[in-house]
């Protein structure tokens, strides 16, 4: 298996742009999340290794089974580690299986199968529990926003050079958390998101297609 993963890494470094399963790869793994992701064909696995550190593995499902595409990617999670459920104001990364509906970033679209929104100074993520647009992206001048910007997040920051929205609290229930993303790391813990090196994140974004999910466990 170690030799197989080394070959995957070599292929990625050569391609430089996308994650691609090696032709003829053996479907000899049964990932921990296999029974939890429904029909998803692309899964990003995030498993905590202690504190705010985690290990990320990337898998693709073919007709013969699951194939590892990349493995052992260092990742950062919330400063409070992981939690069973998201909670507003608690900097822990929720565990579970989450959709990856679209990507965004301050940088131009790197390509891939997901919708991409290039953001600027007027892009916000509404974190106001009392707002009808809670836990959604909004575009407005700060002084004109209809929600409380003090409880929300302006998205034009270095950590969002590239990011993918995580489908946490899709019911938009007040108190159950907002603004969970898979984004560029600044080298430290997050406020509940999952973060990795930007170059590797770009490769993953270019590989992702609609229907992909992120599976998170401790």
């Amino acid at each position: 298996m170690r030799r197989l993963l080394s070959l995957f890494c070599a292929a990625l470094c050569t391609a430089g742009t996308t994650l691609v399963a090696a032709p003829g790869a053996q479907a000899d793994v049964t990932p921990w999340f296999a029974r939890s992701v429904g029909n998803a064909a692309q899964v990003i696995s995030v498993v905590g290794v202690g504190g705010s550190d985690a290990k990320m593995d990337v898998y693709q499902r073919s007709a013969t089974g699951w194939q590892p595409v990349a493995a052992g990617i260092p990742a950062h999670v919330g400063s409070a580690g992981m939690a069973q459920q998201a909670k507003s104001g608690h900097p822990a990364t929720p565990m579970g299986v989450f959709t990856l509906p679209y990507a965004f970033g301050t940088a131009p679209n790197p390509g891939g199968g997901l919708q991409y929104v290039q953001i600027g100074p007027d892009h916000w993520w509404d974190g106001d529990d009392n707002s009808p647009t809670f836990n959604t992206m909004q575009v407005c001048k700060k002084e004109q926003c209809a929600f409380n910007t003090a409880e929300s997040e302006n998205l034009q920051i270095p950590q969002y050079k590239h990011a993918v929205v995580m489908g946490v609290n899709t019911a938009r229930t007040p108190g159950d958390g907002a603004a969970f993303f898979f984004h560029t790391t600044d080298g430290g813990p997050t406020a509940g998101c999952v973060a990795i090196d930007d170059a590797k994140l770009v490769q993953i974004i270019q590989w992702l297609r609609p229907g992909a999910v992120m599976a998170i466990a401790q």
Side-chain angles (χ1 to χ4, degrees), residues 4-17:
L4 177 61
L5 294 179
S6 297
L7 291 174
F8 286 147
C9 180
L12 293 179
C13 293
T14 301
T17 55

Side-chain angles (χ1 to χ4, degrees), residues 37-214:
V37 297
N39 295 323
Q42 294 180 316
V43 177
I44 299 171
S45 163
V46 180
V47 177
V49 296
S52 61
D53 294 325
K55 182 189 71 154
M56 179 177 292
D57 300 319
V58 182
Y59 291 87
Q60 182 164 298
R61 178 159 50 183
S62 70
T64 57
W66 290 102
Q67 298 172 347
V69 177
I73 301 168
H76 296 285
V77 294
S79 58
M82 294 184 175
Q84 291 294 331
Q85 184 173 340
K87 181 180 179 182
S88 295
H90 185 51
T93 300
M95 293 183 283
V97 177
F98 305 105
T99 58
L100 299 170
Y102 67 96
F104 68 91
T106 59
N109 186 355
L114 299 183
Q115 175 189 354
Y116 188 88
V117 178
Q118 187 169 1
I119 57 176
D122 296 332
H123 285 80
W124 296 80
W125 198 271
D126 182 356
D128 179 357
D129 282 319
N130 298 311
S131 168
T133 55
F134 173 65
N135 201 25
T136 64
M137 183 184 288
Q138 298 294 311
V139 184
C140 55
K141 300 288 184 182
K142 183 176 181 178
E143 62 277 7
Q144 298 174 350
C145 294
F147 50 88
N148 186 345
T149 57
E151 297 179 3
S152 303
E153 189 172 8
N154 185 273
L155 298 178
Q156 194 181 41
I157 61 174
Q159 294 91 329
Y160 299 151
K161 182 176 181 180
H162 296 98
V164 182
V165 174
M166 294 166 55
V168 178
N169 192 16
T170 55
R172 297 168 47 220
T173 303
D176 283 356
F180 291 90
F181 311 123
F182 172 32
H183 64 74
T184 303
T185 185
D186 62 5
T190 72
C193 299
V194 176
I196 66 170
D197 175 74
D198 184 68
K200 184 63 66 176
L201 175 58
V202 167
Q203 290 182 336
I204 293 175
I205 289 175
Q206 291 170 333
W207 171 79
L208 286 171
R209 296 294 181 267
V213 300
M214 176 174 282

